[in-house]
Amino acid sequence: MKKICFLFWLLCKRSLKKPSFLIILLAFPLSGFLFASVSKEEETGLLVALYGEEGDDFSTSIIHRLCQSDYHLLSFYNCSSIENLKKDVLTGRAQWGYIFPKDFETRLQTGKARESISVLSSPSSLFVPVSNEIVFSRVMESHSLFLLKQSLEENFPSSSSLFSMAENFYEHHLTSKSSFSFQYSFKDAASIGRLHPPSIIMASFPGFASVFVFLAALTGILSYEKDKEQRIFSSVPYTFSPVLPILSILSPSVLAGAFALLGLYAARQGQGFFIDIVKMAFYILLLLVYCLLLKLLFRNFTRLSFVIPFLLLGSLIFSPVFIDFGSFSPFFRILSFLFPPTFYLL
């Protein structure tokens, strides 16, 4: 057993002497830390700036209601000036912004409110239509009360208490969810709100970790076949021959698995220390069996070198690293189980 452990240590040491492998090992936790720090400020979702010109209490009340409400995906905030709003949109702090005119209430009441609210947005903003619907709904909540009062005054001019009663009914049905309305909701609003490159990578980090360890295992079996052809293990006793392919696969896989876990925790993607270690251990054992089957099927260095790029490409496409195609078709779901990263990402 000591000799096997010593041989495993020698194979790990040889893997660490490869500059490319060592660079990738160190780059994985470092990239996880960097992407986590970049996306840390974006965890509140998309920010939307608001500004109401002075002298219009109607706009001020709408802005206040927008800022106080929770829309999951969108977070509204008030700007102190138009210049600050433009600056926030230009610098990317806010995805887009709304400017309410000072005579907005008068425009609504006179039917001249078309294109009254100015919208400043960047070309990459994807959720402006959703935000427009939210702002419009808030405007109509306030303006509809004026229309109700106007209608009552025209039809019942002598009934002063009727409007107070109608206003109470209006407020009750507005908040009781008894009226028909659309509500926009998202399964993971925070991650949807971070649709920029660092966040896409962050969301796919466990998938990258699984493919990274899979690549290390494939590299191990490939190195074993190359060493066998070059008779590097000729001085090793024959009794160790069955153990050599296992150790050749495990040595880079264990190293990659350890650094992959460091990367996951650096990226704040860990599920729990004990759970992650057990999960990674079973995944490495699965890769060991998978690579031994590949060894039996293809038998030499040349054939394995030919098939490995297809296995990696298939893992990136069919395993749920970026997109879970299995949720669209049962065929893709079955096909994804041909690639080990799928089992790690279950």
Side-chain angles (χ1 to χ4, degrees), residues 17 91 266 311 345:
K17 287 184 178 181
T91 56
L311 293 174
L345 298 172

Side-chain angles (χ1 to χ4, degrees), residues 5-65:
C5 293
F6 181 70
L7 184 57
F8 175 76
W9 163 248
L10 290 178
L11 290 172
C12 289
K13 192 175 180 181
R14 188 180 72 161
S15 298
L16 291 173
K17 287 184 178 181
K18 298 177 181 178
S20 58
F21 185 68
L22 182 60
I23 290 173
I24 295 174
L25 284 180
L26 296 175
F28 204 84
L30 180 62
S31 61
F33 175 78
L34 291 176
F35 285 119
S37 61
V38 168
S39 63
K40 186 177 181 179
E41 298 178 357
E42 302 296 330
E43 291 183 350
T44 56
L46 298 174
L47 293 177
V48 183
L50 302 170
Y51 175 73
E53 295 180 353
E54 295 181 3
D56 191 88
D57 295 335
F58 182 75
S59 299
T60 303
S61 65
I62 292 174
I63 291 174
H64 178 74
R65 295 180 73 175

Side-chain angles (χ1 to χ4, degrees), residues 61-133:
S61 65
I62 292 174
I63 291 174
H64 178 74
R65 295 180 73 175
L66 286 168
C67 294
Q68 293 298 318
S69 301
D70 181 17
Y71 297 103
H72 303 289
L73 173 66
L74 304 177
S75 297
F76 293 89
Y77 71 97
N78 191 18
C79 286
S80 58
S81 65
I82 295 179
E83 289 72 21
N84 287 340
L85 184 145
K86 292 179 179 179
K87 180 182 177 182
D88 287 353
V89 173
L90 288 174
T91 56
R93 180 173 184 261
Q95 297 297 314
W96 56 87
Y98 295 91
I99 302 174
F100 293 81
K102 60 181 179 180
D103 57 344
F104 184 49
E105 184 176 17
T106 304
R107 295 188 189 187
L108 281 171
Q109 294 176 359
T110 57
K112 299 178 180 179
R114 185 176 179 85
E115 298 181 356
S116 294
I117 303 175
S118 302
V119 183
L120 302 179
S121 64
S122 61
S124 59
S125 300
L126 301 176
F127 293 95
V128 175
V130 175
S131 178
N132 289 344
E133 290 288 338

Side-chain angles (χ1 to χ4, degrees), residues 209-230:
S210 63
V211 175
F212 173 53
V213 181
F214 182 37
L215 174 62
L218 293 173
T219 303
I221 193 61
L222 202 63
S223 298
Y224 169 78
E225 291 296 333
K226 186 177 181 181
D227 293 341
K228 190 172 68 172
E229 290 181 2
Q230 296 177 352

